[in-house]
C-alpha cells in the first residue's frame, strides 16, 4: 500500500473545460510529482447516469485511492451503452479527478482540494458539442437537467477552495496551479512549486528623467481594475516649513513614489475579511481561512529577491495596499466586522519607482515571457509623461488656500454627516477620561467618522484624489483602487519601516495645530505646539508604547529614540513627530514583527490592548481602513507602511445595488486626563479640514 495521495477534484458543469484544464494541470505538476488522472466521463452509466456515476466513483475510485490503494472500477462503453472493461487507477503523490460531480457531497470527505471551473453558458454548449460531436447533442438537455437537479441539492461551488473562470485562452492551468499553492493542505506536497516562487529574477532599468507622476499613472494603470500609487506628493524642497521642519526626516520619507497594478503573469489581488482570505490570480480565486498575518508571513516573510547594488529603494516588487484597523482581532483586540475588507493587497510583478531626490525613474519587472513587452510600453509611457511635464504649466505642489474640486463634482452634493454630534463626541471624551481616572488607560485615541453618499458616477475617485493631494501634499500620500473600493490618503505618518537588512523604524505623530495664512500667527501656532506640555506628554506615551512593541522582535539593546517631539509642518497642519529605531532579530518572522506593532499605538492609546477594548465600547462601530496601515511588502523582505490618516474611503459596494457611492473620512485625537473636550473637538475639525476642503465640503454642524 502506497502513502495516501493528495486528491484534487476539478468539478464544473459540462463544457466548462474541465478535461483540458485537468490534463494541462497534470502536465505542469508532473514536472515535480508523480500524478494520476481520472475522468468521471469514463464511469457514468449512460446519459441519465449522473447520480449513479457519482456513487460508483466514490465507492470504487475515491475510497481505495484515499487509502493509497489501487482503484479497480468498471468503465462505461458509450458505443454499446453498457458496462465496459475493468480498469485500474494507481495511487500517486497527486491524484486529479475531473468531471461533473467530482466534488459531490459524498466525495468531499476524501478530497484535499476542490476546484470549480466556470464558463459562460453559450461557451459551455459549443465547447462540449465540439469535443463530443453529434453523439452528445441529442442528450444535452437531458444531461443539463441532471446537473441542475444535482446542484440544486448540492451547492458544490460554495465548497470549492478554488474557482476559475475558464475562458479557453490557455491561462487557467497556470492560474489554478498558483492558486493551489495558497492552500495549507497542499503546501507540503507543493514545496517545489513554492520554492520556484522564490527563485525569481528581477529586471531593473534606470531612466534619467522624472516624468509627471499623474500622467504616468494614467497612461500605465488608468484602466486597471486594481492599481496602487504610493505617492510621495510632498516635495523635499517644499517652501514654508519653519524651524525644525527643515531637517531631513520629511525629505527621507518623501523620496520615492511607487506605481503598480496586478497585471502580468504574476499579478494577484488578495482581500481578507473576518478570518477569510480570498486571492485572485487572473480568472481564478482561492479561499482560505486563518489569521491574515500568518498568511502574510507565508507569502512575504522570507526574502525572495536581493536589492540590486545600484538601486536605491527598498521596494523590489511585491505586495502593496492596506491593512484595516479591524485586523486588531489578531493582535489582542476584539473581533469586529467591517463593511470594507480588513486587508486589500495586490501583488505587482512589474512597477515604476520614481526617485524624487535623484530625478530618475526605475522600471521593475519580474522575468516572465511578457516582461519585455511591458518594459517597452513602460519606457514609452515614461517618455510621454516626461514630455507632458515639459509642456505643462507649473502647478503648485500644494498648500494653497484655494479649494480644488474634482472634475464635474458639485460641492453642494457632498453633504457630510458625523457619526457623533459635538455633544456626543464631548460626552465620549468625558467617558474616556473616567476610564483614565480609574486606571484602565493612560491615553485614549478616540475617533469618529464623517460620511456622505452621492449617486453612482457622480464622483470619480481619481480626480477626487488629485484634488486631495494638491490641497494637502504629504510624504505618505497614496491612491489605492481595488475594483469598486478606492482609498485616497495624504498621510504624513509612518507606521513602520522594516529594511531588507532588518533595520526597523516607527515615527508616531501626536500633537497637531492648524496652519495659518498669516506667517506671524502660523509661527506662533508652531511654537505653541512645540512648547505644549500636554502634547509632549501624549507623544512620549506613544513613544514608550512603540519601544515596547518593537522590542518583542528586536535585537536586545537595539531599540533607541533618535528623535523626540520634533515639529514638522505640512500644508494644513503642524505636527509633533518622534522616531524610534530598532534592529530585527535574525530569523524572526517579519509579518509577526508587523503584527506586534499593529495597529499603530498613535491610533489606540496606551496600554494598547485594554485601551482598544475601551475604544470598541465608546466608538461602537468599526474603523475600517482608517487608522490601519498603507504601504508595501517587498520581495526583498523590506516593508514601509504609513498610518491611514487624512484618508478618504470611497466604496461603491457599500450601498444596495451600487446605486450610491459611500464616502468616509475618519478623524480622532488622543484623550488624556487633562484634555479639554472643546479643544479636542476643535482638533478633529482641524484634522478633517485637509480632506474636506479639497472637496469643497464643510465639517458637519451640530
Amino acid at each position: 500500500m502506497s502513502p495516501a495521495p493528495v486528491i484534487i477534484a476539478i468539478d464544473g458543469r459540462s463544457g466548462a473545460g474541465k478535461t483540458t484544464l485537468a490534463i494541462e494541470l497534470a502536465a505542469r505538476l508532473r514536472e515535480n510529482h508523480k500524478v494520476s488522472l481520472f475522468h468521471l466521463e469514463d464511469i457514468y452509466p449512460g446519459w441519465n447516469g449522473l447520480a449513479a456515476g457519482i456513487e460508483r466513483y466514490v465507492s470504487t475510485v475515491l475510497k481505495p485511492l484515499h487509502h493509497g490503494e489501487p482503484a479497480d472500477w468498471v468503465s462505461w462503453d458509450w458505443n454499446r451503452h453498457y458496462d465496459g472493461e475493468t480498469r485500474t487507477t494507481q495511487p500517486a503523490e497527486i491524484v486529479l479527478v475531473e468531471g461533473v460531480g467530482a466534488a459531490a457531497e459524498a466525495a468531499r470527505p476524501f478530497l484535499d482540494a476542490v476546484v470549480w471551473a466556470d464558463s459562460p453558458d453559450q461557451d459551455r454548449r459549443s465547447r462540449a458539442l465540439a469535443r463530443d460531436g453529434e453523439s452528445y447533442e441529442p442528450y444535452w438537455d437531458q444531461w443539463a437537467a441532471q446537473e441542475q437537479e444535482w446542484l440544486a441539492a448540492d451547492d458544490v461551488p460554495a465548497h470549492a477552495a478554488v474557482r476559475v473562470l475558464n475562458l479557453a485562452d490557455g491561462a487557467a492551468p497556470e492560474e489554478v496551479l498558483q492558486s493551489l499553492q495558497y492552500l495549507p493542505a497542499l503546501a507540503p506536497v507543493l514545496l517545489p512549486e513554492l520554492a520556484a516562487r522564490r527563485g525569481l529574477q528581477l529586471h531593473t532599468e534606470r531612466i534619467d528623467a522624472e516624468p509627471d507622476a499623474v500622467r504616468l499613472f494614467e497612461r500605465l494603470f488608468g484602466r486597471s481594475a486594481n492599481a496602487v500609487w504610493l505617492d510621495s506628493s510632498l516635495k523635499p524642497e517644499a517652501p514654508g516649513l519653519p524651524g525644525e521642519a527643515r531637517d531631513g526626516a520629511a525629505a527621507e520619507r518623501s523620496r520615492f513614489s511607487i506605481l503598480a497594478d496586478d497585471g502580468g503573469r504574476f499579478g494577484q489581488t488578495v482581500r481578507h475579511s473576518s478570518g477569510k482570505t480570498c486571492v485572485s490570480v487572473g480568472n481564478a480565486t482561492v479561499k482560505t481561512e486563518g489569521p491574515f498575518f500568518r498568511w502574510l508571513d507565508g507569502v512575504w516573510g522570507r526574502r525572495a529577491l536581493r536589492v540590486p547594488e545600484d538601486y536605491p529603494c527598498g521596494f523590489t516588487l511585491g505586495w502593496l495596499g492596506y491593512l484595516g484597523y479591524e485586523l486588531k482581532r489578531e493582535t489582542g483586540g476584539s473581533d469586529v466586522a467591517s463593511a470594507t475588507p480588513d486587508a486589500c493587497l495586490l501583488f505587482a510583478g512589474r512597477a515604476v519607482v520614481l526617485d524624487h531626490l535623484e530625478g530618475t525613474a526605475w522600471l521593475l519587472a519580474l522575468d516572465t515571457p511578457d516582461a519585455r513587452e511591458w518594459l517597452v510600453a513602460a519606457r514609452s509611457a515614461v517618455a510621454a509623461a516626461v514630455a507632458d511635464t515639459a509642456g505643462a504649466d507649473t502647478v503648485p505642489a500644494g498648500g494653497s488656500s484655494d479649494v480644488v474640486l474634482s472634475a464635474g463634482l458639485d460641492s453642494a452634493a457632498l453633504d457630510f454627516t458625523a457619526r457623533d454630534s459635538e455633544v456626543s463626541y464631548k460626552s465620549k471624551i468625558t467617558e474616556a477620561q473616567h476610564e483614565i481616572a480609574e486606571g484602565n488607560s493612560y491615553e485614549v485615541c478616540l475617533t469618529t467618522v464623517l460620511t456622505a453618499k452621492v449617486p453612482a458616477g457622480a464622483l470619480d475617485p481619481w480626480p477626487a484624489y488629485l484634488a486631495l493631494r494638491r490641497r494637502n501634499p504629504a510624504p505618505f500620500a497614496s491612491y489605492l483602487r481595488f475594483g469598486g473600493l478606492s482609498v485616497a490618503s495624504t498621510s504624513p505618518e509612518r507606521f513602520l519601516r522594516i529594511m531588507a537588512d532588518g533595520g526597523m523604524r516607527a515615527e508616531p505623530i501626536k500633537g497637531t495645530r492648524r496652519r495659518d495664512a498669516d506667517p506671524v500667527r502660523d509661527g506662533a501656532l508652531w511654537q505653541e505646539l512645540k512648547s505644549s506640555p500636554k502634547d509632549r506628554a501624549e507623544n512620549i506615551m506613544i513613544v514608550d508604547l512603540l519601544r515596547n512593541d518593537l522590542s518583542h522582535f528586536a535585537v536586545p539593546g537595539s531599540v533607541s529614540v533618535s528623535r523626540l517631539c520634533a515639529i514638522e509642518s505640512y500644508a494644513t497642519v503642524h505636527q509633533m513627530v518622534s522616531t524610534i529605531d530598532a534592529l530585527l532579530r535574525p530569523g524572526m518572522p517579519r509579518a509577526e514583527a508587523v503584527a506586534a506593532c499593529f495597529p499603530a499605538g498613535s491610533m489606540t492609546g496606551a496600554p494598547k490592548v485594554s485601551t482598544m477594548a475601551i475604544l470598541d465600547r465608546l466608538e461602537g462601530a468599526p474603523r475600517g481602513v482608517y487608522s490601519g496601515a498603507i504601504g508595501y511588502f517587498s520581495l526583498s523582505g523590506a516593508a514601509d507602511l504609513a498610518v491611514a490618516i487624512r484618508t478618504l474611503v470611497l466604496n461603491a459596494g457599500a450601498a444596495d445595488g451600487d446605486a450610491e457611492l459611500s464616502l468616509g473620512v475618519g478623524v480622532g485625537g488622543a484623550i488624556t486626563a487633562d484634555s479639554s473636550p472643546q479643544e479636542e473637538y476643535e482638533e478633529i475639525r482641524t484634522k478633517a479640514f485637509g480632506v474636506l476642503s479639497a472637496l469643497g465640503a464643510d465639517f458637519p454642524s451640530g
Side-chain angles (χ1 to χ4, degrees), residues 365-452:
L366 294 177
D367 186 14
T368 63
D370 60 353
R372 183 178 299 275
E373 180 182 354
W374 182 83
L375 287 168
V376 170
R379 209 175 293 128
S380 175
V382 168
V386 169
D388 288 342
T389 304
D393 294 332
T394 301
V395 178
S400 164
S401 60
D402 296 334
V403 171
V404 185
L405 295 176
S406 48
L409 176 66
D410 180 1
S411 61
L414 283 177
D415 184 17
F416 280 88
T417 59
R419 186 178 68 204
D420 296 294
S421 66
E422 180 175 356
V423 171
S424 172
Y425 192 74
K426 291 178 179 178
S427 175
K428 291 182 178 181
I429 292 173
T430 302
E431 290 185 62
Q433 290 176 315
H434 174 73
E435 295 285 355
I436 294 170
E438 291 293 309
N440 299 324
S441 180
Y442 302 111
E443 179 178 356
V444 179
C445 297
L446 182 66
T447 76
T448 188
V449 66
L450 314 178
T451 58

Side-chain angles (χ1 to χ4, degrees), residues 282-350:
N283 289 309
T285 59
V286 55
K287 295 182 179 180
T288 60
E289 295 189 6
F292 176 79
F293 285 107
R294 183 187 301 166
W295 179 90
L296 181 63
D297 192 63
V299 300
W300 168 69
R302 299 178 183 177
R303 180 186 298 181
L305 284 175
R306 293 191 178 276
V307 180
E309 289 186 7
D310 59 341
Y311 174 65
C313 182
F315 178 73
T316 56
L317 301 175
W319 297 93
L320 309 99
Y322 77 80
L323 313 181
Y325 178 75
E326 272 62 53
L327 284 177
K328 67 183 175 65
R329 71 171 60 86
E330 300 181 21
T331 62
S334 59
D335 187 357
V336 178
S338 174
T340 53
D342 298 328
C344 275
L345 300 172
L346 63 80
F347 184 87
R350 55 203 194 183

Side-chain angles (χ1 to χ4, degrees), residues 474-534:
F476 291 109
S478 56
Y479 175 71
L480 318 178
R481 182 169 62 233
F482 291 94
L485 175 65
S486 297
V487 178
S489 179
T490 55
S491 174
E493 181 175 0
R494 172 178 274 146
F495 162 51
L496 179 66
R497 182 183 70 181
I498 302 179
M499 300 177 68
D501 64 4
M504 298 190 290
R505 170 168 289 184
E507 295 184 278
I509 291 176
K510 268 286 161 266
T512 304
R513 295 293 186 277
R514 65 176 177 83
R515 297 297 304 268
D516 196 288
D518 178 80
V520 175
R521 289 196 295 269
D522 193 53
L525 289 165
W526 184 91
Q527 185 61 44
E528 176 188 311
L529 176 59
K530 180 174 175 60
S531 59
S532 167
K534 172 185 175 295

Side-chain angles (χ1 to χ4, degrees), residues 2 55 97 120 142 172 182 191 223 346 370 376 395 401 430 453 479 491 549 570 615 692:
S2 303
E55 184 178 341
V97 293
Q142 178 183 351
Y182 287 111
L191 281 175
R223 296 184 180 180
L346 63 80
D370 60 353
V376 170
V395 178
S401 60
T430 302
K453 290 185 177 181
Y479 175 71
S491 174
D549 286 349
Y570 299 91
L615 290 168
L692 297 181

